[in-house]
Amino acid sequence: MNDKPVQGRMTAAAEGDVVVFLIGMRINSFRALRSWCPVSAAMPRMLRELEKEKGQGNGLLGYRPVIGGPRLIGVIQYWESKEKLLAYASAADKEHRPAWAAFNRRARAGRGNVGIWHETYVVPAGSYESVYVNMPESASGLGAATGLVPVERRGDRAADRLRIKAV
C-alpha cells in the first residue's frame, strides 16, 4: 500500500451508483467473552473471503474498519450494488450466513451481552462527491475503495461534482 500523498486535489473514481454498508458490534458485557469474541472474529473472516474473491465480481469495492471506543467496532464497506451485497449476505456457501445464524443462537443464549447493527445506503450516481487534497490514494473512504482521479475531471466545486450523472 502506497502511503505517499498524491499531490493536488483528487476525487473518487467511482462510477454510477454506490452502496455504502455500515456494520458493527457493541460489547455490552466485557466479561461475556463467549458472547462477543465469536462475533468479533466473524467479520475479519468475511472480509478476508471478500478480498480474496474481489476480482471475481463479488461487488465489494473496499472497506475501512472503524473503532468507536472500547465497546464499538465497525466496518464501512463500499459495494457496487445492493444486489451484490444481498447476494453475499444470503449465499449458503459464504461466511456471512453461518456467522449470522451463530450470532442469533448466541444472542438468544447471551441475554444481550453483545449487540450488532447495520445500515445500508444506496447512493445514486450524481448524489455523492468527494475531495482528497494531498492524501495517499489508500487513505480514506470511497477514494480508497475505487481509486482517485483529478478533481477537474468531475468538476472543480462540490456542487459541480454532485450534478454529474453516470454515462
Side-chain angles (χ1 to χ4, degrees):
M1 187 180 311
N2 187 359
D3 285 336
K4 184 176 182 218
V6 176
Q7 296 299 305
R9 295 176 52 205
M10 306 298 280
T11 190
E15 298 286 340
D17 298 350
V18 172
V19 175
V20 181
F21 181 65
L22 310 175
I23 186 165
M25 65 172 271
R26 183 180 191 276
I27 300 168
N28 294 326
S29 173
F30 283 109
R31 288 189 239 171
L33 290 169
R34 284 185 283 178
S35 293
W36 61 265
C37 274
V39 176
S40 70
M43 184 55 71
R45 283 195 311 270
M46 288 182 251
L47 292 171
R48 278 192 301 274
E49 175 179 64
L50 286 162
E51 277 292 316
K52 183 177 169 187
E53 299 173 356
K54 199 170 183 179
Q56 300 169 23
N58 66 8
L60 180 71
L61 297 171
Y63 65 90
R64 171 83 44 194
V66 293
I67 305 294
R71 292 184 182 277
L72 296 170
I73 302 166
V75 181
I76 302 168
Q77 298 178 6
Y78 300 93
W79 287 78
E80 290 176 15
S81 69
K82 65 183 178 205
E83 291 80 13
K84 289 186 177 185
L85 170 62
L86 295 172
Y88 177 74
S90 63
D93 63 334
K94 302 295 181 194
E95 289 284 341
H96 177 267
R97 202 158 154 207
W100 179 243
F103 169 78
N104 283 320
R105 284 191 302 277
R106 270 189 226 90
R108 283 190 293 278
R111 298 184 189 104
N113 291 324
V114 63
I116 63 164
W117 59 272
H118 77 259
E119 300 173 358
T120 307
Y121 302 94
V122 178
V123 188
S127 297
Y128 57 88
E129 75 86 29
S130 59
V131 67
Y132 311 95
V133 180
N134 299 327
M135 294 287 290
E137 188 165 3
S138 62
S140 188
L142 188 58
T146 63
L148 300 177
V149 296
V151 81
E152 296 79 23
R153 286 182 44 187
R154 298 271 165 80
D156 194 45
R157 300 174 315 133
D160 298 331
R161 293 186 297 278
L162 284 167
R163 286 190 210 115
I164 301 277
K165 297 293 182 199
V167 183

